[in-house]
Amino acid sequence: MDIRDEHYNLGEWNQLIESCLSDPDSEPLLNLERDENPVYDAIFVGGGAGGRFGSAYMKAMGGRSLIIDAWPFLGGSCPHQACVPHHLFSEAAEELDRMKWFSDELFFPKFDPSRASILALVKLFLAGRGSAHAFMNWQTKEQLDVEFVLNAHATIVDRNTVAAAGRTFTARNLVLGMGARPVLPDIPGLDLEGVYDFVSLVEELDYEPTRCVIIGGSKVAMEYGSFFQATGCDTTIVSRSQLMRTKALHHVDEDLRQYVVEGMRKRGMTIIDQAVPVSVNGVDGRVSSVTVRLSTGEETTLDTDFVFLGTGERPTVAQAREALGIEVGPTGRVAVNKRMQTSVPGVYAIGDMIDGPMEMFKARKSGVTAARNIMGEDLEFDYTEFPDFFHTTYEVTWVGLTEAEARERFDDVIIIQMPPTVEGLDTPNLPLPCAEGTMLYAFSKPELSGFQKLVVDGASRKVVGAHHVGYGAKDAFQYLDHLIHSPDGLTIDTLGWMNELFLNPEHFIQLSRLRAGNQTLRDL
Amino acid sequence: MDIRDEHYNLGEWNQLIESCLSDPDSEPLLNLERDENPVYDAIFVGGGAGGRFGSAYMKAMGGRSLIIDAWPFLGGSCPHQACVPHHLFSEAAEELDRMKWFSDELFFPKFDPSRASILALVKLFLAGRGSAHAFMNWQTKEQLDVEFVLNAHATIVDRNTVAAAGRTFTARNLVLGMGARPVLPDIPGLDLEGVYDFVSLVEELDYEPTRCVIIGGSKVAMEYGSFFQATGCDTTIVSRSQLMRTKALHHVDEDLRQYVVEGMRKRGMTIIDQAVPVSVNGVDGRVSSVTVRLSTGEETTLDTDFVFLGTGERPTVAQAREALGIEVGPTGRVAVNKRMQTSVPGVYAIGDMIDGPMEMFKARKSGVTAARNIMGEDLEFDYTEFPDFFHTTYEVTWVGLTEAEARERFDDVIIIQMPPTVEGLDTPNLPLPCAEGTMLYAFSKPELSGFQKLVVDGASRKVVGAHHVGYGAKDAFQYLDHLIHSPDGLTIDTLGWMNELFLNPEHFIQLSRLRAGNQTLRDL
């Protein structure tokens, strides 16, 4: 279906996408210029975050890019199954959590657990996700002017040729952004009804779980687990490692970790770490329990009607290996250099197919990096250092070194934190930190109002790490990352001279200012 | 009472402060070193934000500073009557607002307006404010090691001498940080019961108002008005100017203004602008109505049991004028140069006593500026450009130029905004922007999910303004302000290459990236 001359608004796009999704025989959607047999600068195989941003950047630079995607919409799994539902569920978790702590206090009514429903929030998401899809199709076509073939499986023929929608497309380069899928642990019982991962949760959930066992200790495990628990679904996390001590998460400060994990326990979650799941067990085809081997060697069985797998993701590499013979690293991800070039000349890989965090900034910037290199720039993208975050019922955000890492590297490490660690001060009753999102806690349940820590190298006076649990600071950490990792770094003096918007969710500016007068810095 | 050798914890400080506040005959609290007749580098008259930060900075630099304050605690009006209660009330407003929009939807119970109470939240604040006072006293004494005399009126004798607590203190310099008090409009009836300003609201409110008339169009008027309305107290704002079009607020983008004011109206507030209050009228000593002259010249009378004055503040300058003869400018504020020096050598003024926004960053940094100049640095503090914010039921934050200001200054202004302004696109149903705080809105009531705009000079590619209505971006604007006003500025290319934490409350990084490939930038 040639839609080149159609200029759909959001409602029309939404309808078209929905009709494609619901009809397996629906036609591909082609938005192609009219010339015959063009040679593209690149075909982006996959129109997720990386493909969409990479192709748009290439087009903006004057190049010619084509996206091919199996879904009838652009943007990939983020708006369909991943970051967007996660943020919706995490906001619900934060809200439910507050309503429970304040049940029958102030203006909050007595909390009614029967109202909170995982299924209802999944349905809310499903009813609304089409709007984001519609917007991205509209924006990509009308504002970014990128050619695309959607609702069509791409078959990689060779490194210059991709077949889709009954046609063959030619390009000087291929950019592979084919994403990843959840990894299943190797235990029996995963085919039982009632076993979900973050994809099948939104696609298939059809009942209201009452108890949950989560297998895995990833960000997804902690985020979805906190959400399930907040809805009243009694949640147990079974993790091989201690939470937040996996290799997948770097720079996790131990004080922050303790505040976060302790916070999950305070909210009623059971965390069984250093444990191995043995089997998922069922009755009449439905999950009924999970057997777990504890760190003591003992086995225990946890009754449940809902199992959620948070055991990570693995990239979709089979086709690219077969058709192109691209090298795949030991972790199953496509090997690329800092220009996103694979082992096959002219073939790039981006997003969740390559190493590094499976996060949006990496997906989009790797796509842009591929595009800019193809267009002749000599640009490297290093994603070994970056700000990171996830949600429990809090926003947890961090960048740079932990206190322990800094102490290994520098002789004179200064810590500025809130609440301070001072014996006898009675900090659990200290209503600090506080700002938007923690004011009611600060005045009623101060021990819930968050944690923040700034790590400074006393010799250079540079901020080397920042850590935050609370609300409203995540956006700022994007800029803190930039400043900390800029060539000159960010000194406590520069930070302390900024214009704070007080009360600020992280109090780093004013706390730094209270110390910046010191020639020899001290903790605060 | 000499407390030099006492090392109170937070609970002990809290108790001591409370006992001082409740007993008009309580003794001054002296935290002084033991030497006789010291000459301080500076006496800070007033231990509010500016005095506390200035004296702490001076001490950190190796100087000797003394604070004298009439209150038994440090930190001034912010934790006692101003920023802290404002943030608590604004968080309650945000929460109540969400509970109303979602009444009986999802996990939200049917909204019960009888539960929401201004008085209950004032009482919550009063019960808790002592903790912040206690912390600031503890921190100033134990961590910052600043000398102080609290709970004692300061009498300025001459430019080197201040009397307090029956003693006389000598210094090479004075730093005046004596704050400001609300300005009352010149109309009859303000002595009736039921007439409040932000100070008397927390100190004296003793009933639950049912209707409110606000006189004035300041930030305080909009913030407290939004809070009152959210509690179910039917609120009318009577303002001489259009809201957000006062001289006190600069760089207010018209699109942002319309989103904000329209949002207040959507929530049921009545806004009567370009109107003049004529009188507050009463029955039996209590307020019963307000008479207002409309822009048409017609007079109207608004029934009410609660009048709130949001007509600004004026600094406390009488003593300094009388004792020192310092010059006061046409707006009633003390005239200072960029080093915070008044017309009297060795006398500095800071905080709300001087021109500029009555905001925390200015208070604290003006105190630090005075301290650093006194200690021999040659430092100027320019507060003509700064990020700004206030609350309705949203956080409203902005920095730099408005679109209109930029168009006056530059030939080629590029606008990147969300939702975009595109005819026929059906943007009221677009669930963007969205992130923490707007996810539920985005999926249920997308027209409430906020507004954001980035203003870019196309020629230099520099970001010249940023504007945001929503949640979670306020903290980031501190850093955006720093970056935009840094010597090199912030180009769209640098911004677009940052590592976003997606979904991010403002989408500036990724939206910039979608345009940064353009040699000639275009709107998005």
Side-chain angles (χ1 to χ4, degrees):
Chain A
M1 182 175 166
D2 181 355
I3 59 160
R4 186 68 182 170
D5 298 329
E6 306 294 337
H7 299 284
Y8 303 125
N9 73 9
L10 298 179
E12 291 160 341
W13 261 124
N14 206 339
Q15 227 172 345
L16 179 57
I17 293 167
E18 282 306 317
S19 76
C20 289
L21 284 172
S22 61
D23 176 8
D25 299 323
S26 56
E27 278 180 68
L29 307 175
L30 280 77
N31 174 44
L32 300 171
E33 290 185 29
R34 297 277 179 243
D35 52 341
E36 275 181 34
N37 304 319
V39 178
Y40 294 94
D41 289 301
I43 295 172
F44 289 79
V45 184
R52 199 171 88 89
F53 272 69
S55 60
Y57 209 99
M58 179 172 279
K59 177 72 187 179
M61 288 177 83
R64 187 147 182 204
S65 54
L66 173 69
I67 299 175
I68 305 177
D69 200 289
W71 271 326
F73 55 85
L74 293 156
S77 61
C78 159
H80 203 58
Q81 295 159 339
C83 4
V84 174
H86 144 210
H87 276 75
L88 177 63
F89 300 155
S90 291
E91 182 175 305
E94 177 194 330
E95 192 68 26
L96 284 163
D97 188 50
R98 196 175 281 115
M99 289 167 80
K100 265 194 269 192
W101 285 110
F102 285 97
S103 174
D104 212 19
E105 279 181 43
L106 295 170
F107 52 82
F108 293 88
K110 196 163 158 50
F111 184 72
D112 175 2
S114 74
R115 286 201 73 102
S117 157
I118 298 170
L119 189 58
L121 283 154
V122 166
K123 284 183 177 167
L124 178 71
F125 169 67
L126 289 176
R129 74 174 165 185
S131 300
H133 298 337
F135 180 74
M136 280 192 267
N137 282 15
W138 172 82
Q139 186 189 56
T140 308
K141 182 171 185 297
E142 308 296 342
Q143 288 192 309
L144 306 175
D145 198 19
V146 170
E147 293 174 75
F148 54 73
V149 177
L150 300 182
N151 207 29
H153 279 279
T155 303
I156 301 169
V157 178
D158 61 36
R159 69 198 210 193
N160 299 110
T161 319
V162 181
R167 295 173 57 160
T168 298
F169 298 95
T170 307
R172 281 179 274 276
N173 301 273
L174 296 187
V175 183
L176 308 179
M178 298 155 88
R181 304 302 285 171
V183 174
L184 303 188
D186 186 21
I187 53 171
L190 299 188
D191 52 342
L192 290 164
E193 282 180 47
V195 180
Y196 292 86
D197 55 36
F198 73 91
V199 172
S200 56
L201 181 81
V202 296
E203 299 296 348
E204 295 167 19
L205 188 74
D206 56 3
Y207 69 107
E208 188 64 37
T210 63
R211 281 172 147 194
C212 178
V213 173
I214 294 187
I215 296 175
S218 64
K219 279 187 187 182
V220 168
M222 285 184 280
E223 288 171 329
Y224 283 74
S226 294
F227 163 55
F228 300 149
Q229 180 71 31
T231 67
C233 177
D234 211 9
T235 297
T236 300
I237 293 188
V238 177
S239 169
R240 285 175 189 263
S241 56
Q242 284 194 297
L243 289 191
M244 303 184 70
R245 275 200 179 144
T246 58
K247 273 189 201 160
L249 292 187
H250 72 346
H251 300 322
V252 174
D253 186 84
E254 183 57 21
D255 289 335
L256 174 135
R257 193 185 82 82
Q258 286 185 16
Y259 192 93
V260 169
V261 176
E262 194 44 50
M264 291 167 75
R265 288 212 174 88
K266 264 185 197 163
R267 283 148 178 97
M269 293 175 79
T270 305
I271 296 163
I272 305 179
D273 55 23
Q274 298 166 80
V276 181
V278 175
S279 63
V280 176
N281 317 307
V283 173
D284 298 335
R286 282 204 76 82
V287 69
S288 61
S289 68
V290 176
T291 302
V292 175
R293 189 175 321 112
L294 304 176
S295 58
T296 57
E298 221 179 329
E299 285 197 1
T300 187
T301 294
L302 308 164
D303 291 342
T304 191
D305 58 358
F306 180 46
V307 170
F308 184 82
L309 306 174
T311 38
E313 290 176 80
R314 197 160 290 155
T316 315
V317 296
Q319 201 199 146
R321 282 181 93 156
E322 276 167 40
L324 303 169
I326 56 168
E327 234 173 70
V328 170
T331 58
R333 315 243 207 140
V334 176
V336 291
N337 62 15
K338 287 185 178 173
R339 294 176 181 79
M340 308 304 125
Q341 291 163 324
T342 68
S343 60
V344 179
V347 178
Y348 295 73
I350 61 174
D352 290 346
M353 292 188 86
I354 62 174
D355 259 330
M358 290 189 165
E359 294 288 349
M360 188 52 92
F361 83 91
K362 193 201 73 180
R364 290 168 170 163
K365 286 176 67 175
S366 62
V368 169
T369 301
R372 291 171 69 173
N373 276 286
I374 289 169
M375 294 300 291
E377 275 192 60
D378 182 19
L379 176 77
E380 297 194 337
F381 172 36
D382 180 355
Y383 44 79
T384 51
E385 289 301 329
F386 52 90
D388 209 353
F389 81 99
F390 69 93
H391 294 91
T392 55
T393 48
Y394 293 103
E395 299 166 27
V396 183
T397 320
W398 67 99
V399 63
L401 303 181
T402 66
E403 181 176 342
E405 289 169 339
R407 290 197 190 283
E408 274 177 29
R409 208 172 293 187
F410 304 108
D411 289 337
D412 181 24
V413 171
I414 306 303
I415 300 301
I416 290 178
Q417 74 172 41
M418 196 62 80
T421 311
V422 174
E423 223 173 307
L425 183 60
D426 193 21
T427 47
N429 287 316
L430 178 64
L432 290 168
C434 68
E436 285 87 354
T438 52
M439 294 306 300
L440 288 163
Y441 287 132
F443 275 82
S444 291
K445 300 148 207 323
E447 73 281 9
L448 302 180
S449 83
F451 172 81
Q452 44 195 254
K453 180 193 278 191
L454 196 70
V455 183
V456 179
D457 167 29
S460 68
R461 301 176 74 88
K462 284 183 187 170
V463 174
V464 296
H467 309 269
H468 186 269
V469 187
Y471 304 102
K474 180 179 144 197
D475 207 42
F477 271 70
Q478 305 174 136
Y479 303 104
L480 279 169
D481 169 61
H482 170 77
L483 291 162
I484 289 175
H485 294 122
S486 67
D488 292 339
L490 173 65
T491 64
I492 192 172
D493 306 285
T494 300
L495 182 60
W497 195 246
M498 291 187 191
N499 298 319
E500 69 267 38
L501 293 174
F502 190 75
L503 277 61
N504 33 8
E506 38 79 15
H507 302 343
F508 297 149
I509 295 176
Q510 64 266 23
L511 292 178
S512 292
R513 188 179 300 143
L514 285 175
R515 278 304 186 219
N518 288 143
Q519 207 158 10
T520 303
L521 293 174
R522 284 189 296 151
D523 290 350
L524 188 72
Chain B
M1 181 175 167
D2 182 354
I3 59 161
R4 184 69 182 169
D5 297 330
E6 307 293 338
H7 299 284
Y8 303 125
N9 72 9
L10 298 179
E12 291 161 341
W13 261 124
N14 205 340
Q15 228 173 345
L16 179 58
I17 294 167
E18 282 307 316
S19 77
C20 289
L21 284 172
S22 61
D23 176 8
D25 298 324
S26 55
E27 279 179 70
L29 307 176
L30 280 76
N31 174 46
L32 300 171
E33 290 184 29
R34 298 278 179 242
D35 52 339
E36 276 182 34
N37 304 321
V39 178
Y40 293 94
D41 289 301
I43 295 172
F44 289 79
V45 184
R52 199 171 87 89
F53 272 69
S55 61
Y57 209 100
M58 178 173 280
K59 177 71 187 179
M61 289 178 83
R64 187 145 183 204
S65 53
L66 172 70
I67 299 175
I68 304 176
D69 200 289
W71 271 326
F73 55 85
L74 294 155
S77 62
C78 159
H80 203 59
Q81 294 159 339
C83 2
V84 174
H86 143 210
H87 277 75
L88 176 64
F89 300 155
S90 291
E91 182 175 305
E94 177 195 330
E95 191 68 25
L96 284 163
D97 187 50
R98 196 175 281 115
M99 289 168 80
K100 265 194 270 190
W101 284 111
F102 285 97
S103 174
D104 212 18
E105 279 180 44
L106 294 171
F107 52 82
F108 292 87
K110 197 163 158 51
F111 185 72
D112 175 4
S114 74
R115 286 202 72 103
S117 157
I118 299 170
L119 189 58
L121 283 154
V122 165
K123 284 184 177 165
L124 177 71
F125 168 68
L126 288 176
R129 73 174 167 186
S131 299
H133 298 338
F135 179 74
M136 280 192 267
N137 282 16
W138 172 82
Q139 185 189 57
T140 309
K141 182 172 185 298
E142 307 297 340
Q143 289 192 310
L144 305 175
D145 197 20
V146 170
E147 294 174 74
F148 53 73
V149 177
L150 301 182
N151 207 29
H153 278 277
T155 303
I156 301 169
V157 178
D158 61 36
R159 68 196 209 194
N160 299 109
T161 320
V162 181
R167 296 173 56 162
T168 298
F169 300 95
T170 308
R172 280 179 276 276
N173 301 275
L174 296 187
V175 184
L176 309 179
M178 299 155 88
R181 304 302 287 170
V183 174
L184 303 188
D186 186 21
I187 53 172
L190 299 188
D191 53 341
L192 289 164
E193 281 179 48
V195 180
Y196 292 86
D197 55 36
F198 74 91
V199 171
S200 56
L201 180 81
V202 296
E203 300 295 348
E204 295 167 19
L205 188 74
D206 57 2
Y207 69 107
E208 189 64 38
T210 64
R211 280 172 147 194
C212 177
V213 172
I214 294 187
I215 296 176
S218 65
K219 280 187 188 182
V220 167
M222 285 184 280
E223 287 171 328
Y224 282 74
S226 295
F227 164 55
F228 300 149
Q229 180 70 31
T231 66
C233 177
D234 210 10
T235 297
T236 299
I237 293 187
V238 176
S239 169
R240 284 175 190 262
S241 56
Q242 285 194 295
L243 288 192
M244 302 184 70
R245 275 202 179 141
T246 58
K247 272 189 203 160
L249 291 186
H250 70 347
H251 301 320
V252 174
D253 185 84
E254 182 58 18
D255 289 335
L256 175 135
R257 193 185 82 82
Q258 285 185 16
Y259 192 93
V260 169
V261 176
E262 193 46 48
M264 291 167 75
R265 287 211 175 91
K266 266 185 196 163
R267 283 149 177 95
M269 292 175 79
T270 304
I271 296 163
I272 305 178
D273 54 24
Q274 297 166 80
V276 181
V278 175
S279 63
V280 175
N281 317 307
V283 173
D284 297 336
R286 283 203 74 83
V287 69
S288 61
S289 67
V290 177
T291 302
V292 174
R293 189 175 323 112
L294 304 176
S295 59
T296 57
E298 222 179 327
E299 284 197 2
T300 187
T301 294
L302 308 165
D303 290 342
T304 191
D305 59 356
F306 180 47
V307 170
F308 184 82
L309 305 174
T311 37
E313 290 175 80
R314 198 161 289 155
T316 317
V317 295
Q319 201 199 146
R321 282 182 93 155
E322 276 166 38
L324 302 169
I326 56 168
E327 233 173 70
V328 170
T331 59
R333 316 244 207 139
V334 176
V336 292
N337 62 16
K338 287 186 178 172
R339 294 176 180 79
M340 308 304 126
Q341 292 164 323
T342 69
S343 60
V344 180
V347 178
Y348 295 72
I350 61 174
D352 290 345
M353 293 188 86
I354 61 174
D355 259 330
M358 290 189 165
E359 295 289 348
M360 188 53 93
F361 83 92
K362 193 201 72 179
R364 289 169 171 163
K365 285 176 67 174
S366 62
V368 169
T369 301
R372 290 171 70 173
N373 276 286
I374 289 168
M375 294 301 291
E377 275 192 60
D378 182 20
L379 176 78
E380 296 195 336
F381 172 36
D382 180 356
Y383 44 78
T384 51
E385 289 302 328
F386 52 89
D388 209 353
F389 81 99
F390 69 94
H391 295 91
T392 56
T393 48
Y394 293 103
E395 299 167 28
V396 183
T397 321
W398 67 99
V399 64
L401 303 181
T402 67
E403 180 176 342
E405 289 169 339
R407 290 197 190 284
E408 274 177 29
R409 208 172 293 187
F410 304 107
D411 288 336
D412 182 25
V413 171
I414 307 303
I415 300 301
I416 290 178
Q417 74 172 42
M418 196 62 81
T421 311
V422 174
E423 221 172 306
L425 183 60
D426 193 21
T427 47
N429 287 315
L430 178 63
L432 290 167
C434 69
E436 286 87 355
T438 53
M439 294 305 301
L440 288 163
Y441 287 133
F443 276 82
S444 291
K445 300 146 207 326
E447 74 280 9
L448 302 180
S449 84
F451 171 82
Q452 43 194 256
K453 181 192 277 192
L454 196 71
V455 184
V456 179
D457 167 30
S460 68
R461 302 176 75 86
K462 284 184 187 170
V463 175
V464 296
H467 309 270
H468 187 269
V469 186
Y471 304 102
K474 180 180 144 195
D475 206 42
F477 271 70
Q478 303 173 137
Y479 304 103
L480 279 169
D481 169 61
H482 170 77
L483 290 163
I484 289 175
H485 293 122
S486 67
D488 292 339
L490 173 65
T491 64
I492 192 172
D493 307 285
T494 300
L495 183 60
W497 195 245
M498 291 188 190
N499 298 318
E500 68 267 38
L501 294 174
F502 190 75
L503 280 59
N504 33 9
E506 39 77 15
H507 304 341
F508 297 149
I509 294 177
Q510 64 265 24
L511 292 178
S512 292
R513 187 180 299 144
L514 284 175
R515 279 301 186 222
N518 287 143
Q519 206 158 9
T520 304
L521 294 174
R522 285 189 293 150
D523 290 350
L524 188 73

